[in-house]
């Protein structure tokens, strides 16, 4: 059991805490899904790009899905071997940078991008849009024709001889198996038709934020049946599934305000964890030191925004000001989406590996906010 209050006392709040044992366990579970297949796992750094976490993944043989030079650097720092470059807006200076660094796969997002890769030594996957509704939050849904990603799957005939395989990613935090199998089967049919030897299945596996999660066993059965006679290579590009449940946000309780509603005011705001505001996301909360009295409260941050809410109308024990509360499932799209809004420095990050506790990112200082500023 991680002693979150002690970590809060020792390192201050807000603080992201990650559990290395859980990360390894989740990688093992992901691998289990592809048992018996020629398959590799790459981690989507957009979910969390801390190189200390990536190093754990690299040691487990996990590669990287990167979309920027910054993410590529983090992956290289961590020693990740297989690199997939994704993105719908790759610019020419990035293209030169990435090809010089010897990456393995590129996911090509459009017919317009394709000629830029002709003659380049790299495994070329074309991102296809299968027109499948992932039935997740609209902001993290990517597989419909109206979305900006990929090309219509039925239109690849004219370019099939210029690519090595296909890439599909229909969205994130998907909790039903059917949309995955629907998309995968369309891609598989297409790969068989043209003899493609690579299929990148994207990520999107949903985790249990509030009781709903993807049935991994059912997904495994579906994948096993679907790909049983495919002899090419499968790539799984997971973010949230690997790191989401392994991360926690520890926030300090600044005050408990009683007005029309009860507000628990914490030192973490939407600058620290934007998911509740951006995606109506639900993070379970643990009160570490409570008063014994349960109320319905909004848990809010310190920013000058009415939308700065981390949890709405939540039944919880009133915490004692000065103590810490914990937001669960904060490992993915938590720190990686944090900002300096309202002049707030980025939080510190801690890695717990069994009994070992390590500071893997210092809290940003106020002075560091202005290192690039000239007046
Ligand atoms: C192309 C691509 N691959 C993989 C992922 C990872 O998704 P998730 O974190 O839901 O596994 C994303 C994130 O949306 C993505 O855009």
């Amino acid at each position: 059991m991680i002693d979150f209050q002690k970590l809060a006392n020792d390192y201050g709040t807000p603080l992201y805490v990650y559990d290395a044992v859980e990360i390894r366990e989740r990688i093992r579970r992901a691998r289990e899904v592809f048992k018996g297949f020629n398959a590799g796992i790459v981690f989507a750094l957009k979910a969390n790009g801390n190189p200390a976490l990536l190093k754990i993944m690299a040691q487990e043989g996990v590669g990287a899905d990167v979309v920027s030079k910054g993410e590529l650097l983090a992956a290289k720092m961590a020693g990740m071997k297989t690199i997939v470059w994704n993105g719908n807006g790759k610019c020419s200076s990035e293209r030169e940078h990435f090809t010089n660094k010897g990456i393995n796969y590129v996911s090509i997002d459009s017919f317009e991008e394709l000629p830029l890769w002709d003659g380049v030594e790299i495994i070329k996957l074309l991102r296809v849009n299968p027109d499948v509704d992932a039935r997740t939050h609209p902001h993290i849904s990517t597989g419909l024709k109206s979305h900006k990603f990929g090309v219509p799957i039925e239109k690849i005939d004219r370019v099939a001889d210029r690519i090595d395989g296909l890439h599909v990613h229909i969205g994130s935090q998907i909790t039903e198996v059917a949309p995955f199998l629907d998309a995968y089967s369309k891609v598989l049919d297409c790969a068989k038709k043209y003899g493609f030897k690579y299929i990148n299945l994207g990520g999107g596996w949903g985790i249990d934020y509030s009781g709903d999660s993807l049935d991994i066993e059912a997904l495994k059965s579906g994948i096993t049946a679907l790909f049983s006679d495919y002899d090419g290579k499968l790539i799984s590009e997971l973010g949230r599934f690997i790191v989401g449940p392994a991360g926690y946000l520890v926030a300090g309780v600044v005050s408990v305000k009683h007005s029309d509603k009860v507000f628990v005011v914490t030192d973490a705001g939407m600058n620290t964890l934007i998911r509740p505001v951006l995606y109506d996301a639900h993070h379970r909360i643990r009160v570490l030191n409570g008063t014994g009295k349960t109320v319905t409260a909004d848990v809010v941050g310190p920013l000058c925004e009415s939308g700065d809410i981390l949890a709405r109308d939540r039944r919880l024990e009133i915490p004692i000001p000065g103590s810490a509360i914990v937001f669960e499932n904060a490992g993915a799209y938590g720190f990686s989406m944090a900002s300096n809004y309202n002049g707030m420095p980025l939080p510190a990050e801690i890695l717990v590996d069994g009994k070992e506790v390590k500071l893997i990112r210092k809290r940003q200082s106020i002075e560091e906010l202005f290192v690039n500023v000239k007046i």
Side-chain angles (χ1 to χ4, degrees), residues 44 46-47 65 86 127 167 169 171-173 202-205 237-241 333:
K46 55 184 79 80
D65 149 23
N86 268 314
R127 181 158 176 179
H167 176 209
H169 173 79
S172 195
Q173 185 50 21
W205 300 4
E237 199 176 56
L238 300 171
R240 189 187 311 272
F241 179 82
Y333 307 101

Side-chain angles (χ1 to χ4, degrees), residues 84 86 125 166-168 198-202 233 235-237:
V84 178
N86 268 314
L125 309 185
L166 302 172
H167 176 209
V168 69
Y198 299 90
I199 303 178
N200 180 341
L201 299 172
K233 169 140 188 159
I235 298 158
S236 175
E237 199 176 56

Side-chain angles (χ1 to χ4, degrees), residues 28-280:
R28 191 196 62 72
R29 281 165 63 184
R31 274 202 204 297
E32 191 62 30
V33 170
F34 295 101
K35 207 167 167 185
F37 287 104
N38 173 13
I41 296 177
V42 294
F43 175 70
L45 266 73
K46 55 184 79 80
N48 194 317
N50 188 306
L53 304 184
L54 304 179
K55 191 170 157 201
I56 299 173
M57 299 177 203
Q59 284 163 348
E60 298 294 316
V62 171
D65 149 23
V66 300
V67 297
S68 67
K69 288 182 194 173
E71 287 187 352
L72 178 61
L73 180 58
K76 292 278 180 189
M77 281 168 75
M80 293 175 123
K81 298 272 184 312
T82 303
I83 310 269
V84 178
W85 185 21
N86 268 314
N88 71 317
K90 307 178 190 78
C91 65
S92 55
S93 73
E94 284 180 313
R95 227 172 13 253
E96 202 179 318
H97 181 88
F98 272 76
T99 34
N100 287 341
K101 298 274 178 204
I103 61 165
N104 312 79
Y105 300 87
V106 63
S107 171
I108 298 167
D109 191 69
S110 64
F111 294 127
E112 291 74 14
E113 186 189 336
L114 194 59
L116 304 172
W117 292 101
D118 283 341
V120 179
E121 274 293 309
I122 193 162
I123 300 171
K124 294 165 208 158
L125 309 185
L126 184 61
R127 181 158 176 179
V128 289
N129 189 316
D131 200 26
V132 167
D133 185 355
R135 298 197 280 275
T136 183
H137 191 280
H139 292 180
I140 47 176
S141 191
T142 55
L144 286 174
K145 279 209 169 109
S146 54
H147 295 136
K148 69 172 182 173
F149 298 105
V151 301
I153 193 162
E154 66 282 1
K155 290 200 178 151
I156 71 158
D157 194 49
R158 59 196 169 102
V159 299
D161 57 341
R162 288 158 70 190
I163 56 177
D164 304 294
L166 302 172
H167 176 209
V168 69
H169 173 79
I170 57 170
S172 195
Q173 185 50 21
I174 301 165
T175 53
E176 290 175 53
V177 172
F180 285 114
L181 297 184
D182 199 1
Y184 295 170
S185 76
K186 288 188 179 185
V187 169
L188 178 63
D189 285 350
C190 184
K192 281 181 177 167
K193 179 171 171 193
Y194 297 106
F196 295 138
K197 290 293 170 219
Y198 299 90
I199 303 178
N200 180 341
L201 299 172
W205 300 4
I207 61 171
D208 179 4
Y209 286 107
S210 57
D212 238 13
S213 70
L214 182 67
D215 181 344
I216 297 297
E217 279 309 310
L219 182 70
K220 176 182 160 86
S221 306
I223 287 176
T224 307
L226 198 59
F227 291 95
S228 58
D229 61 349
Y230 180 66
D231 64 357
K233 169 140 188 159
L234 299 177
I235 298 158
S236 175
E237 199 176 56
L238 300 171
R240 189 187 311 272
F241 179 82
I242 290 177
V243 86
Y248 304 84
L249 170 62
V250 185
V253 177
V254 177
S255 65
V256 179
K257 175 173 169 177
H258 295 261
S259 62
D260 269 0
K261 289 180 103 165
V262 179
F263 294 99
V264 174
V265 185
T266 74
D267 56 12
M270 68 190 214
N271 57 312
T272 328
L273 180 66
I274 201 170
R275 299 192 64 262
V277 182
L278 198 57
Y279 307 129
D280 296 321

